[in-house]
C-alpha cells in the first residue's frame, strides 16, 4: 500500500503544546456542532482566531473581507503569501476551457461544512485564514471530501485540476482519482509530488528548502491528456507521468487530517479540455476566450497562475508584430452592475499592463470592460459564474 508521508517538525512557527490542545478541542467541538446544526458563533470565531494564530495569520476585521490580507511583512506582502507573477514567468500550465466545478468558499458561512461538497469520511469545516475562507479537513484517516456533481463521471480527456493548499507540519493533501474502472489513483502534494496506486509510482524533486515550503500557501495543478499526467507545484512542473495506465472519471480530495495540523485548501477548480493551442485559436478564429487569466476575488490583481496563458499570448504577439487586439473583461453577475462594469475594465487594463511589461507595445492593445452584460453560461451555479468570469482577446 502506498505510504502517506508526514514531515519532520521544523521550528517555522512557534506555539505551545497547550495552544495545540486548546485548538484541537475547539476545532473538534466546532465540527461536531456543525454536524448537529448547533454552531456557536463565538466558539467558531475563537476557533478561527486560534487557527490563524497557529498559521501566522491575522483574524480580525480583515477575516470578514474575502479579498483582504493581514500580517504583512516589511516588504508589504502577506507573511505566507504565494509566489509572485515574476516567479511564474516561465510557467506553462493552462487550465481547461470548460469549468465544471469551482469553489473559493466565499459563499459559505464560517464554521460550517461547505455547501458544494460531500463528506465521505472524517470531518471538515470552513474557516477564515489570512482574510480568506478556506476548507479545513480536520479529522480522519483518511478524511475524504468530493465535489457535489450532477453526474458520477464528470472528468473528460483532457481535464485539469487546480487548488491552493497551506503547508503545515501535518500530512500533505491528496487528490484521489477514481478511474473508469472504479479504481483509486492517488497524487500527493507535499514538499514533492508523489503518486500512489499508479501502475508505476513516481516521485518528483523537492520544490526547495523547508523555509520555502512550510508556513506558506502553494498552488497545485494537474493536467491529464491522452494517458499522460503532468503535475505542477507552484511555478514548476514537478512530475510527469508519461503513461498513467488509466482514465480519470471523478476525484476526491483528502488525506490524514488532524485538528492541530488540518489539511487546508482553497480555490478549487476542475475543468475539462486543457493545454489548448492558444496561438492556433488566435490565428484561426481571431478571438480567444480564456479562463486561464484569473484574479483575486473582487479585485483586478492578477494571480500568478495566469502566466501560463499570458506567456502564450505574449509569444504569439511577438511572432506577429502586425496583430492588434482588444482585451475584453467579463464578470459574473454577483454584486452591483456598475461595480462589475468597473471591475471588468480594471481587469482588462491589468492584463494589458502585464503584457506591456512582457515587451508588447501598448499601442497594439486596447481594453474594454463588459461587466456581466455578456454571459456565456448561467449565473445560477458556481461553475456557470466561473465560466462567465473570463478574458477575451479579439483581433482588430
Amino acid at each position: 500500500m502506498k505510504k502517506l508521508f508526514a514531515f519532520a517538525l521544523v521550528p517555522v512557527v512557534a506555539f505551545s503544546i497547550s495552544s495545540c490542545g486548546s485548538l484541537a478541542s475547539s476545532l473538534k467541538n466546532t465540527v461536531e456542532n456543525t454536524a448537529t446544526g448547533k454552531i456557536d458563533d463565538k466558539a467558531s470565531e475563537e476557533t478561527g482566531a486560534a487557527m490563524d494564530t497557529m498559521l501566522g495569520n491575522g483574524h480580525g476585521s480583515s477575516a470578514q473581507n474575502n479579498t483582504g490580507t493581514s500580517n504583512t511583512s516589511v516588504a508589504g506582502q502577506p507573511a505566507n503569501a504565494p509566489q509572485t507573477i515574476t516567479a511564474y514567468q516561465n510557467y506553462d500550465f493552462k487550465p481547461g476551457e470548460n469549468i465544471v466545478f469551482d469553489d473559493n468558499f466565499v459563499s459559505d458561512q464560517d464554521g460550517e461544512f461547505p455547501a458544494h461538497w460531500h463528506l465521505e469520511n472524517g470531518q471538515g469545516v470552513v474557516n477564515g485564514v489570512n482574510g480568506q475562507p478556506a476548507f479545513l479537513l480536520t479529522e480522519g484517516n483518511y478524511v475524504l471530501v468530493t465535489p457535489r456533481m450532477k453526474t458520477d463521471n464528470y472528468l473528460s480527456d483532457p481535464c485539469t485540476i487546480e487548488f491552493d493548499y497551506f503547508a503545515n507540519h501535518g500530512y500533505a493533501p491528496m487528490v484521489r482519482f477514481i478511474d473508469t474502472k472504479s479504481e483509486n489513483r492517488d497524487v500527493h502534494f507535499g514538499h514533492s509530488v508523489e503518486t500512489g496506486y499508479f501502475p508505476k509510482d513516481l516521485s518528483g524533486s523537492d520544490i526547495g528548502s523547508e523555509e520555502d515550503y512550510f508556513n506558506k500557501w502553494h498552488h497545485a495543478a494537474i493536467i491529464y491528456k491522452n494517458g499522460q499526467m503532468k503535475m505542477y507545484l507552484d511555478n514548476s512542473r514537478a512530475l510527469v507521468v508519461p503513461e498513467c495506465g488509466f482514465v480519470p472519471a471523478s476525484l476526491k480530495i483528502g488525506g490524514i487530517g488532524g485538528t492541530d495540523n488540518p489539511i487546508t485548501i482553497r480555490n478549487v477548480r476542475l475543468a475539462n479540455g486543457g493545454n489548448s493551442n492558444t496561438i492556433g485559436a488566435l490565428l484561426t478564429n481571431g478571438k480567444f476566450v480564456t479562463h486561464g487569466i484569473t484574479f483575486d476575488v473582487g479585485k483586478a490583481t492578477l494571480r500568478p497562475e495566469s502566466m501560463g496563458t499570458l506567456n502564450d499570448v505574449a509569444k504569439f504577439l511577438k511572432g506577429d508584430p502586425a496583430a492588434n487586439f482588444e482585451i475584453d473583461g467579463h464578470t459574473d453577475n454577483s454584486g452591483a452592475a456598475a461595480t462589475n462594469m468597473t471591475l471588468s475594465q480594471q481587469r482588462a487594463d491589468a492584463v494589458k499592463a502585464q503584457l506591456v511589461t512582457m515587451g508588447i507595445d501598448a499601442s497594439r492593445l486596447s481594453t474594454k470592460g463588459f461587466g456581466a452584460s455578456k454571459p456565456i453560461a448561467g449565473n445560477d451555479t458556481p461553475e456557470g459564474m466561473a465560466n462567465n468570469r473570463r478574458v477575451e482577446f479579439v483581433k482588430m
Side-chain angles (χ1 to χ4, degrees):
M1 180 176 180
K2 175 68 180 178
K3 66 182 178 67
L4 278 176
F5 46 94
F7 302 106
L9 290 175
V10 179
V12 177
V13 182
F15 51 94
S16 68
I17 294 176
S18 61
S19 296
C20 281
S22 174
L23 173 62
S25 175
S26 179
L27 272 173
K28 184 174 183 180
N29 290 337
T30 299
V31 173
E32 289 174 348
N33 289 339
T34 301
T36 58
K38 298 178 180 178
I39 285 291
D40 182 284
D41 290 338
K42 187 174 186 298
S44 177
E45 290 174 4
E46 290 174 349
T47 298
M51 174 57 66
D52 283 341
T53 299
M54 186 185 79
L55 298 182
N57 302 315
H59 187 90
S61 59
S62 66
Q64 304 304 315
N65 178 357
N66 292 323
T67 62
T69 56
S70 56
N71 238 23
T72 53
S73 67
V74 292
Q77 293 295 323
N80 56 6
Q83 292 177 300
T84 63
I85 282 279
T86 303
Y88 276 70
Q89 60 183 340
N90 296 318
Y91 194 57
D92 65 357
F93 175 88
K94 293 176 285 294
E97 299 88 3
N98 178 30
I99 300 169
V100 297
F101 182 84
D102 184 272
D103 200 354
N104 54 18
F105 307 107
V106 297
S107 62
D108 294 298
Q109 184 177 338
D110 198 63
E112 298 281 3
F113 189 84
H116 301 294
W117 293 79
H118 287 295
L119 178 65
E120 296 213 352
N121 189 51
Q123 290 291 302
V125 65
V126 172
N127 243 302
V129 177
N130 196 33
Q132 292 187 354
F135 192 9
L136 280 58
L137 307 182
T138 55
E139 293 183 46
N141 182 14
Y142 295 102
V143 54
L144 290 171
V145 294
T146 185
R148 289 182 179 270
M149 305 295 288
K150 295 179 180 179
T151 60
D152 292 335
N153 299 333
Y154 47 83
L155 296 178
S156 72
D157 181 5
C159 61
T160 61
I161 297 91
E162 295 179 88
F163 61 94
D164 298 326
Y165 73 94
F166 189 85
N168 55 36
H169 298 291
Y171 287 88
M174 170 190 73
V175 178
R176 169 162 288 175
F177 291 99
I178 297 86
D179 68 16
T180 51
K181 298 178 182 178
S182 298
E183 295 180 354
N184 296 335
R185 316 285 185 165
D186 296 345
V187 179
H188 303 272
F189 283 91
H191 201 270
S192 62
V193 179
E194 298 186 10
T195 63
Y197 305 115
F198 278 49
K200 182 181 292 185
D201 286 331
L202 300 171
S203 175
S205 58
D206 291 350
I207 65 168
S209 67
E210 291 174 343
E211 184 179 357
D212 292 332
Y213 179 74
F214 286 108
N215 195 35
K216 288 179 170 62
W217 283 101
H218 298 279
H219 187 70
I222 303 172
I223 179 167
Y224 175 92
K225 184 177 183 180
N226 296 334
Q228 182 183 83
M229 188 171 284
K230 299 176 183 178
M231 298 82 157
Y232 293 75
L233 190 50
D234 290 334
N235 61 344
S236 300
R237 187 187 298 179
L239 181 62
V240 177
V241 182
E243 298 177 70
C244 292
F246 69 93
V247 179
S250 61
L251 61 78
K252 304 174 185 179
I253 295 178
I256 299 180
T259 50
D260 52 347
N261 281 304
I263 295 170
T264 305
I265 61 173
R266 67 186 186 194
N267 298 325
V268 181
R269 173 179 283 192
L270 315 179
N272 287 327
N275 204 24
S276 62
N277 188 338
T278 302
I279 297 175
L282 285 165
L283 282 171
T284 304
N285 302 322
K287 179 178 179 179
F288 173 55
V289 180
T290 178
H291 300 99
I293 299 176
T294 57
F295 305 84
D296 288 346
V297 178
K299 294 184 177 181
T301 305
L302 280 165
R303 290 179 58 84
E305 310 88 70
S306 304
M307 288 301 293
T309 300
L310 287 169
N311 283 332
D312 263 10
V313 173
K315 181 179 179 180
F316 168 73
L317 290 171
K318 290 176 181 178
D320 186 358
N324 299 324
F325 282 87
E326 179 183 275
I327 304 170
D328 296 341
H330 299 266
T331 70
D332 59 40
N333 70 344
S334 59
T339 300
N340 286 331
M341 192 66 71
T342 299
L343 179 62
S344 64
Q345 181 65 54
Q346 291 173 340
R347 288 179 169 178
D349 291 339
V351 173
K352 175 181 177 178
Q354 179 58 34
L355 288 171
V356 170
T357 68
M358 297 166 72
I360 306 304
D361 192 319
S363 65
R364 300 175 58 193
L365 305 170
S366 61
T367 62
K368 189 170 184 178
F370 290 90
S373 65
K374 293 188 174 183
I376 58 174
N379 279 300
D380 52 345
T381 64
E383 60 271 16
M385 297 174 77
N387 278 295
N388 288 331
R389 297 190 296 270
R390 66 196 190 276
V391 174
E392 297 184 358
F393 292 85
V394 181
K395 201 168 187 178
M396 300 173 62

